[in-house]
Amino acid sequence: MALLPLAAVALLLFNAASGQRVPKPPRPEPIDVVELPLPPVISSDAVGACTKKANPRRTGCIGQDFVDFQSGDFTPDGNHVVVNLEFIGAPVAPDPASIYTGEQLILVKTNGKKFPNGDPWKCLTCGVPAANAQALDPERDYPHVARSGTKALWGHNIIDCGDALLSSDACTPNNTFIYPIFWPVTPDGSGAGGVPREMRLHPDDVHMGWSSFTANGGQNTYFGRLEFNPDPSSGDVRAPRYDLVDVNFLADPTGPASLMVNDQGELEQHPEAIRVGELRGFSGAGDEILYIGPTREANNHDIFAVHVVTGKVRRITSHPEYADPVAFSHDNNWFCVMDTRGSDRQMWMAGMRGIPPLIDGVTVMAAASTRNNYHRRFFQPILIDRYGDRGSYFGQQVNAGSDPNWNGRADPAFSYDGTKIVYWQALVTSPACGGVNPLPCPTSTAQGGRVYRVMLARLKNRKPTKPAAVFDVPDFIPWAIPFPPGSEYPEEYVLPPGTYTLRGTVSGTANATFVENPTTGALQTISVEYDNYSDDGEHVINGVESVTSTPNPTNPWMSHLDWTSDLVGTGVVEATKKTGPGGFQLSIEAMTNAFNANGTLTTTIDGVVYRQPANGA
Ligand SMILES: *[C@@H]1O[C@H](CO)[C@@H](O)[C@H](O)[C@H]1NC(C)=O
Ligand SMILES: *[C@@H]1O[C@H](CO)[C@@H](O)[C@H](O)[C@H]1NC(C)=O
Ligand SMILES: *[C@@H]1O[C@H](CO)[C@@H](O)[C@H](O)[C@H]1NC(C)=O
Ligand SMILES: *[C@@H]1O[C@H](CO)[C@@H](O)[C@H](O)[C@H]1NC(C)=O
């Protein structure tokens, strides 16, 4: 990657695209990482296996393998984090320890102290009377603590401790209520409701963002308001619940698509286009929505932020590697992203910079799928300032030098004062290691052989900061589509098949041919010829690339690609992206992520060669 020539001398760079003064990137800072305690591990999940010997305080045991595990936010005091986990081996009622069973939300101390009972954790949801949790939703992922500290988002549920802070002794099972979240999607509110995923709470504690899968494997994303409904008269959930109301569909119906054909019959890129892909959350102030957006460079998946009112879009990561779970600091000045950068996982397909995202019309799902191998993630937490990757600045790995076999997972979080980050990791296990896989399975170093752990990073040199004032977000986002129950899905721009020229912003052309599948009407083949193409004057692309996608008639998550590539990049780096004789054929499923290919696709950057992974690796 090019050094930004002015970065060394200029304190401030003017970013023409955003109209914002972008400061010089920060220097790396010292960070300490420690592991946080969790309940004791037992090796059997038999009833009663969590004995007094295993846990003398009789407050639950957990397993070596993780079933449903996630850490989430800090409480406002910075001394606790929420953790969703699975208790196993509980004795039967009326033994008081019987409440420590199944998927529950706990708080873990981050300051080495203990709760009054002597444990460094406390279960928030164990033993909540049935009358207080009448219609608990089984989805309990992505736990997030509300800014008030008295509520938490627990999957499709809201945990509510009234006026008591969740971390306080006043928050007991008897005064904890758990309400399901219901998304009415039929005009009269009847039925099972919509199926949200990736739910995140806005810092105003009232609004929510979420995504939902479409039938063809795509995703739509929404923003709405939580409204308490104490006595629902419609819908399948007839218990006190939170309804998602004032729902917005997060796309701009009047704006351009990110890639479209203009009136002159030429292709145009529109980086200002708003199309919110998978929701990733909100900025610290809640003035921006974070999401995985349409790619700006071929096979390079990034995090974007769109302002909730102005609709201004910022690309906040641009490293060729894959960025995904992300959290902003509460002062709005930093973010921490789980990213494959440093692992070289995706460099063979995305390492060459400056290639416009044309083949992405058929490769996007496969390119996203190769980031994982089965449940092995190649993510580590990366700390970046709010302006994002720029020039030679690609942030700082929070846990630099740590064992890469411990993989970062979703979501990281900042303490409210900005001095701590919490994240969790899982250890590589079979079939992502061992057997035919070239990676031997490592032995866990965590307590009881546990293959998951919660890590606390201390930003040692930082002074505490105050959370930013919460942005007063309107119920209806000016650029979005109001989406009341029963709404029709908006029609989206579809690039018509044909041959078009895309002119580089600085030089050259990319002539692209888009061929549709005669049966499905979806794009089938995209072939591009590059002639001195450059968008930045630093990366100049020449050569040809062509990819054909064969859909799987029964599985929308399955990609099969037949790929040929012969690209040469000149300018600030010498790069090539080439397939071997016979091209490169890749089959990969987006849910299992098992790499399976014939042939080769290789990227070389200034003499450094990046090869595709071995099959199954
Ligand atoms: C919770 O409420 C139940 C039922 O009223 C009562 O029996 C129990 O003692 C209460 N528990 C605590 C810890 O107050
Ligand atoms: C790209 O298309 C333009 C317009 O049709 C044409 O003039 C140009 O020669 C083409 N470039 C290449 C490399 O084929
Ligand atoms: C190719 O593009 C570069 C800038 O990207 C420009 O300086 C050069 O003149 C172009 N060459 C030709 C043959 O157009
Ligand atoms: C690789 O080639 C073998 C043998 O022709 C074939 O069975 C397999 O489906 C191919 N795999 C891919 C990913 O195309």
Side-chain angles (χ1 to χ4, degrees):
M1 184 58 209
L3 277 171
L4 231 117
L6 289 176
V9 287
L11 263 177
L12 296 171
L13 295 171
F14 192 72
N15 181 328
S18 67
Q20 216 176 12
R21 291 241 163 227
V22 176
K24 193 178 150 184
R27 288 181 193 283
E29 62 187 289
I31 304 176
D32 270 355
V33 177
V34 295
E35 188 179 340
L36 292 179
L38 288 172
V41 170
I42 50 173
S43 52
S44 157
D45 62 3
V47 173
C50 184
T51 57
K52 198 168 167 75
K53 186 158 175 270
N55 181 344
R57 276 182 287 278
R58 316 287 331 271
T59 49
C61 298
I62 60 177
Q64 289 173 321
D65 294 325
F66 67 97
V67 187
D68 294 292
F69 186 87
Q70 276 183 307
S71 66
D73 290 322
F74 286 85
T75 55
D77 62 11
N79 294 330
H80 312 82
V81 295
V82 277
V83 173
N84 183 54
L85 49 63
E86 183 92 9
F87 281 112
I88 62 167
V92 293
D95 188 319
S98 64
I99 63 171
Y100 297 96
T101 188
E103 195 173 0
Q104 306 284 357
L105 192 70
I106 69 171
L107 280 180
V108 174
K109 291 270 186 195
T110 60
N111 56 359
K113 302 228 163 103
K114 306 247 159 77
F115 283 97
N117 75 346
D119 281 331
W121 73 87
K122 127 174 163 169
C123 186
L124 292 171
T125 53
C126 300
V128 171
N132 295 11
Q134 293 178 34
L136 191 57
D137 191 288
E139 192 61 65
R140 299 168 201 177
D141 54 2
Y142 303 105
H144 284 277
V145 177
R147 268 208 189 197
S148 68
T150 62
K151 290 188 175 67
L153 175 66
W154 189 32
H156 297 176
N157 301 283
I158 298 284
I159 297 173
D160 185 338
C161 223
D163 294 332
L165 290 175
L166 298 171
S167 54
S168 71
D169 299 339
C171 182
T172 65
N174 276 7
N175 59 19
T176 298
F177 290 79
I178 310 174
Y179 304 112
I181 296 171
F182 186 77
W183 179 18
V185 290
T186 54
D188 62 0
S190 60
V195 184
R197 60 188 302 271
E198 304 285 346
M199 296 196 106
R200 301 292 190 285
L201 192 57
H202 186 271
D204 70 5
D205 291 0
V206 172
H207 290 95
M208 293 276 301
W210 68 95
S211 294
S212 187
F213 282 131
T214 62
N216 63 1
Q219 264 189 110
N220 292 321
T221 295
Y222 306 85
F223 176 85
R225 186 166 57 81
L226 287 169
E227 187 173 76
F228 189 62
N229 186 346
D231 187 17
S233 56
S234 63
D236 292 355
V237 178
R238 296 294 175 96
R241 68 186 195 202
Y242 276 95
D243 288 340
L244 291 168
V245 300
D246 295 344
V247 175
N248 298 248
F249 184 101
L250 295 182
D252 175 7
T254 61
S258 57
L259 185 68
M260 65 191 307
V261 179
N262 69 14
D263 296 342
Q264 288 73 49
E266 292 199 339
L267 272 183
E268 269 179 10
Q269 296 189 80
H270 288 281
E272 78 283 13
I274 306 175
R275 180 58 170 98
V276 178
E278 187 174 274
L279 184 90
R280 296 284 91 206
F282 298 94
S283 64
D287 56 340
E288 290 177 308
I289 295 167
L290 310 177
Y291 60 100
I292 298 176
T295 47
R296 292 270 179 90
E297 292 173 90
N299 308 320
N300 180 0
H301 292 254
D302 286 312
I303 305 294
F304 293 79
V306 58
H307 194 276
V308 287
V309 172
T310 66
K312 188 187 284 297
V313 173
R314 299 197 296 135
R315 179 188 183 187
I316 59 172
T317 64
S318 60
H319 191 286
E321 290 286 345
Y322 191 97
D324 199 331
V326 61
F328 248 77
S329 64
H330 298 272
D331 66 8
N332 222 24
N333 286 330
W334 296 85
F335 63 95
C336 180
V337 61
M338 287 291 173
D339 196 298
T340 63
R341 66 185 70 185
S343 72
D344 293 345
R345 178 70 184 175
Q346 302 283 75
M347 294 299 279
W348 58 280
M349 60 154 58
M352 190 165 158
R353 303 299 306 269
I355 307 174
L358 299 173
I359 57 163
D360 295 50
V362 293
T363 62
V364 70
M365 190 161 68
S369 303
T370 57
R371 76 186 188 280
N372 297 336
N373 182 33
Y374 300 98
H375 61 259
R376 179 183 183 188
R377 306 287 188 264
F378 294 81
F379 292 143
Q380 296 299 343
I382 311 292
L383 176 65
I384 305 177
D385 79 3
R386 63 164 281 110
Y387 303 98
D389 291 333
R390 56 196 185 277
S392 59
Y393 173 65
F394 292 112
Q396 170 180 6
Q397 187 179 333
V398 168
N399 56 344
S402 69
D403 180 353
N405 285 328
W406 282 99
N407 304 165
R409 305 290 298 239
D411 278 345
F414 279 85
S415 64
Y416 279 70
D417 71 358
T419 64
K420 289 177 280 200
I421 294 171
V422 71
Y423 60 93
W424 74 281
Q425 295 176 308
L427 190 65
V428 172
T429 53
S430 172
C433 59
V436 294
N437 199 295
L439 179 73
C441 281
T443 305
S444 172
T445 50
Q447 190 263 322
R450 191 176 2 95
V451 296
Y452 51 103
R453 63 183 192 181
V454 182
M455 308 304 280
L456 177 75
R458 298 193 195 98
L459 308 172
K460 291 198 303 186
N461 281 7
R462 293 203 180 191
K463 302 264 178 303
T465 58
K466 281 207 163 59
V470 176
F471 188 82
D472 188 11
V473 57
D475 288 339
F476 290 98
I477 292 181
W479 47 260
I481 306 171
F483 207 71
S487 292
E488 300 270 318
Y489 283 90
E491 259 198 40
E492 294 208 62
Y493 177 82
V494 179
L495 199 101
T499 298
Y500 311 101
T501 296
L502 171 69
R503 294 186 187 281
T505 310
V506 173
S507 70
T509 52
N511 288 358
T513 300
F514 297 81
V515 180
E516 72 179 357
N517 182 302
T519 319
T520 66
L523 286 175
Q524 173 176 277
T525 299
I526 300 176
S527 304
V528 195
E529 189 171 354
Y530 293 94
D531 181 13
N532 204 39
Y533 181 94
S534 182
D535 280 332
D536 61 7
E538 297 190 329
H539 301 85
V540 182
I541 313 295
N542 279 284
V544 290
E545 188 163 42
S546 179
V547 187
T548 294
S549 161
T550 307
N552 185 300
T554 56
N555 185 352
W557 304 110
M558 192 73 193
S559 290
H560 179 83
L561 302 180
D562 200 329
W563 195 320
T564 57
S565 190
D566 187 5
L567 297 180
V568 176
T570 51
V572 292
V573 291
E574 300 290 314
T576 60
K577 181 181 179 189
K578 288 184 193 295
T579 47
F584 170 69
Q585 294 80 40
L586 170 66
S587 286
I588 191 160
E589 212 252 8
M591 296 292 157
T592 42
N593 309 94
F595 191 88
N596 173 26
N598 290 328
T600 60
L601 175 58
T602 307
T603 290
T604 305
I605 314 284
D606 280 342
V608 180
V609 181
Y610 298 100
R611 294 196 171 83
Q612 78 216 38
N615 285 348

